[in-house]
Amino acid sequence: MNKIILVTGPARSGKSEWAETLAMQSQKSAIYVATGVIDHKDPEWVARIAQHQKRRENLAWKTLEVPVNLAATIEQAPENHCLLVDSLGTWVANLLEIDDVEWQRAEQELLSCLTRGSCPVIFVAEETGWGVVPAYPLGRTFRDRLGGLIRHLGSVADTVYLVTGGHALNLSQLGIPLSNGVKKPGEQAKK
């Protein structure tokens, strides 16, 4: 199994299910790292969490709620485990109140910890920038931060999957990676 895997796609596409399949294929003890926490005042959120938990009820997976300290959790994970982080969108939302300088520090800390961690990590991330630009500043901040994080993580991941329409596409095999910004036409891909 690859050390870093990114599974991205739109809402309700099956990306969490695909990430769970990859974690099972790792044949390591899986730790489900939930970036969202249960808010019992929000029944729809509780139902979404319950749906995820039900899919894993027969698996001997440990679950950690990690709304903010994702880098430390990854660095401290035991080598003989596989982490499944679900999801980066919720993690970004949990950090929306910090300023841009603090955000850049948090993003860099997450990316840097991946070189120091010792176990495979599977990230689930939502694609949010495929539609209308949000009409409010906080929505644009969320979309831009998550989009940038997905791009940066995709550039260091061993494998990147796009899950849409109930199908998982291995972008690492099908795509051409961008290097240092936008690729110029005719330029060779660097890997």
Side-chain angles (χ1 to χ4, degrees), residues 124-187:
V124 176
E126 303 83 346
E127 289 292 342
T128 60
W130 291 12
V132 177
V133 175
Y136 52 96
L138 198 58
R140 290 189 298 271
T141 298
F142 172 77
R143 185 199 63 169
D144 292 347
R145 286 181 179 181
L146 181 58
L149 176 60
I150 290 171
R151 180 173 180 169
H152 294 138
L153 187 56
S155 72
V156 299
D158 297 297
T159 308
V160 178
Y161 291 97
L162 171 66
V163 179
T164 187
H167 289 78
L169 301 170
N170 185 330
L171 296 181
S172 301
Q173 291 178 348
L174 299 172
I176 299 170
L178 301 176
S179 58
N180 298 329
V182 178
K183 196 168 155 21
K184 296 176 186 157
E187 183 180 38

Side-chain angles (χ1 to χ4, degrees), residues 3 15 17 24 27-28 47 64 70 93 113 129 131-132 149 185:
K3 183 175 178 172
K15 53 190 180 300
E17 292 173 63
M24 287 185 280
Q27 299 184 358
K28 293 181 177 264
L64 300 175
L70 197 48
C113 85
V132 177
L149 176 60

